[in-house]
Amino acid sequence: MSGDDDAIRQLVDESAIAVRSKNVDALMSAFAPDVLSFDVVNPLQYSGSEAARERAEQWLGSFEGPIGYEVRDLRIDACHDVAFCHSLNHVSATKKDGEKLEMWWRATLCFRKLDGQWKVTHQHNSVPFDPETGKASMDLKP
């Protein structure tokens, strides 16, 4: 594993810790100012770190108590000043309305090395859907 791979793995690990602790500032420290996000919820995209921050605040703020968060099967490919990684991510938590959330999704992150530090410039989260019903397949597990 290269030093760049290690640095990106550390960034992903720190982001997971930030999610578990609901630390929006720590989570956002990984993002470039012009990050573009494709998330599992509307709208089609979030553009810029302020939009990503608002989404993170909304998501993390929707949970009561601790958040269980796991990044599984992380694969990293880095070359010079561009890198990407993909993983299967899992969250288990209780929403403020008492509903339990337990879901897996696919995640892809793209990075650029900016001023010597890796920053997320694009993130894409998705869940598969059932083409017969048009509904997201939220109960899949690896």
Side-chain angles (χ1 to χ4, degrees):
M1 187 178 295
S2 74
D4 288 330
D5 288 1
D6 289 340
I8 290 170
R9 183 172 301 279
Q10 180 176 348
L11 194 60
V12 171
D13 289 345
E14 290 170 357
S15 294
I17 291 167
V19 168
R20 288 185 206 111
S21 63
K22 302 181 192 177
N23 186 335
V24 174
D25 289 335
L27 181 61
M28 294 311 302
S29 70
F31 288 84
D34 62 347
V35 64
L36 182 63
S37 302
F38 296 164
D39 206 350
V40 296
V41 297
N42 294 334
L44 286 173
Q45 66 183 19
Y46 297 88
S47 184
S49 59
E50 283 307 309
R53 174 180 287 280
E54 288 176 22
R55 171 66 183 127
E57 287 171 346
Q58 174 192 23
W59 185 57
L60 296 175
S62 71
F63 299 113
E64 190 69 46
I67 298 173
Y69 187 76
E70 173 186 4
V71 176
R72 184 185 287 184
D73 300 333
L74 179 66
R75 303 286 192 271
I76 300 168
D77 193 1
C79 186
H80 304 293
D81 64 348
V82 177
F84 71 91
C85 69
H86 55 85
S87 59
L88 297 175
N89 294 5
H90 177 246
V91 67
S92 59
T94 302
K95 295 168 65 175
K96 286 193 172 179
D97 65 6
E99 179 185 349
K100 302 279 187 200
L101 176 65
E102 178 103 22
M103 71 175 279
W104 286 91
W105 70 93
R106 305 169 294 198
T108 301
L109 297 172
C110 302
F111 303 85
R112 286 189 52 221
K113 195 179 273 189
L114 304 171
D115 297 324
Q117 292 191 334
W118 289 105
K119 294 290 182 178
V120 176
T121 56
H122 178 72
Q123 70 172 349
H124 188 129
N125 299 310
S126 66
V127 293
F129 77 98
D130 181 334
E132 290 183 23
T133 65
K135 294 185 179 187
S137 300
M138 302 292 287
D139 58 345
L140 296 178
K141 296 177 182 156

